[in-house]
Amino acid sequence: MDNLNLSKHISGQFNAELEDVRNRVMAMGGLVEEQLTNALSVLHSGDDELARKVVARDRKVNTLEVSIDEECTRIIAKRQPAASDLRLVLAISKTVSDLERIGDSAERIARLATEHHSKRQRGMLVSMEAMGRHTLKMLHDVLDAFARMDVEAAMRIHKEDAKVDNEYEAVVRQLMTFMMEDPRSIPNVLDVLWAARALERVGDRCQNICEYIIYYVKGKDVRHLDMNQVEDLLK
């Protein structure tokens, strides 16, 4: 915890509790990253067994969210943290919520692979590969930034979401073309469109975590601000 520049407390136990809950967030983050990696692999390969593994492990992600959130509540009630300590606990609580939702997106994407898709639909799914790699990198990088509470990295990652949004719009345009060329493909296209939307939301969740990092380190709530406003606020 020293690398976060957290102040030492009279109670060594309090330090241990903060360190433990932070480590549990990182463990949850690692699991969610693995879930998303596997879900994206399923999009490409159609591996039913791997898809079922992702679906089954989503329960573990949910359990971790509940247990970490309960620990955050217990720390607030018992320790009554103030200033940066309180911001850390709140940032952790919000982060695990977004991680759980990223896990949900991975699980839902994997479920598509358990259905019997046509060769054409498989091609549509593969068309999302670039966006998938981008969102996975965002997740990996934001977890690293969270571990170090690195504001500069958080701001850099925050900007990446605009690129993911552009990739999502390109996928949507391509899918619209499929539907216009062959109206019979509409049900399949809607399934793929839903998966693309789930990936786009992963980028949004990573952006949220960036904002929690900034909130903890700088004590500034930058939600709903564009990056120019954030940069001006942090000057």
Side-chain angles (χ1 to χ4, degrees):
M1 187 148 52
D2 291 340
N3 63 327
L4 298 187
N5 296 317
L6 295 177
S7 60
K8 294 297 181 181
H9 306 91
I10 295 175
S11 170
Q13 182 63 30
F14 188 15
N15 285 315
E17 290 169 356
L18 291 175
E19 176 71 5
D20 175 67
V21 74
R22 190 177 70 88
N23 288 340
R24 288 166 66 186
V25 173
M26 298 314 302
M28 180 181 178
L31 175 59
V32 170
E33 184 177 355
E34 182 181 355
Q35 286 282 90
L36 184 58
T37 299
N38 289 340
L40 292 173
S41 178
V42 166
L43 279 182
H44 182 76
S45 67
D47 186 334
D48 285 349
E49 183 177 350
L50 184 58
R52 285 191 292 269
K53 179 182 176 182
V54 173
V55 171
R57 294 186 74 189
D58 187 58
R59 296 177 185 174
K60 185 174 182 180
V61 174
N62 295 341
T63 300
L64 283 169
E65 183 207 10
V66 172
S67 65
I68 293 170
D69 214 28
E70 286 177 346
E71 179 63 12
C72 289
T73 301
R74 191 195 66 78
I75 289 174
I76 291 174
K78 181 179 179 181
R79 302 296 183 181
Q80 298 183 343
S84 64
D85 293 331
L86 179 58
R87 294 201 304 273
L88 176 62
V89 176
L90 293 176
I92 286 172
S93 181
K94 291 176 180 292
T95 294
V96 296
S97 177
D98 276 296
L99 287 175
E100 188 275 332
R101 288 168 182 165
I102 292 172
D104 283 347
S105 293
E107 186 255 354
R108 290 167 184 166
I109 290 167
R111 281 188 183 276
L112 283 178
T114 64
E115 301 172 1
H116 297 290
H117 297 304
S118 66
K119 185 176 180 180
R120 183 176 178 83
Q121 190 172 6
R122 282 280 176 221
M124 296 179 200
L125 290 170
V126 172
S127 72
M128 296 190 302
E129 200 169 330
M131 184 171 67
R133 288 196 303 269
H134 198 164
T135 56
L136 182 60
K137 186 175 188 306
M138 278 187 73
L139 177 59
H140 176 82
D141 289 349
V142 81
L143 289 171
D144 182 65
F146 187 88
R148 296 179 289 109
M149 287 298 172
D150 186 333
V151 170
E152 291 185 3
M155 293 183 68
R156 183 175 65 252
I157 298 162
H158 195 283
K159 295 176 182 178
E160 288 296 309
D161 186 56
K163 298 177 184 177
V164 172
D165 290 344
N166 290 337
E167 290 166 350
Y168 170 67
E169 290 171 3
V171 170
V172 170
R173 286 194 296 270
Q174 183 180 11
L175 294 176
M176 293 303 103
T177 300
F178 284 141
M179 287 195 291
M180 289 186 290
E181 291 177 350
D182 182 7
R184 292 172 300 177
S185 71
I186 289 175
N188 288 343
V189 169
L190 291 177
D191 285 342
V192 179
L193 185 61
W194 186 92
R197 177 59 176 165
L199 277 178
E200 190 273 335
R201 291 297 291 158
V202 170
D204 292 341
R205 303 297 181 192
C206 291
Q207 192 176 55
N208 290 345
I209 296 172
C210 291
E211 292 169 359
Y212 307 148
I213 294 169
I214 295 169
Y215 170 69
Y216 165 66
V217 176
K218 297 295 187 179
K220 303 289 186 180
D221 188 343
V222 297
R223 291 175 296 176
H224 314 302
L225 301 180
D226 62 39
M227 281 313 297
N228 290 331
Q229 292 173 310
V230 173
E231 289 170 352
D232 289 342
L233 184 66
L234 299 182
K235 285 180 180 177

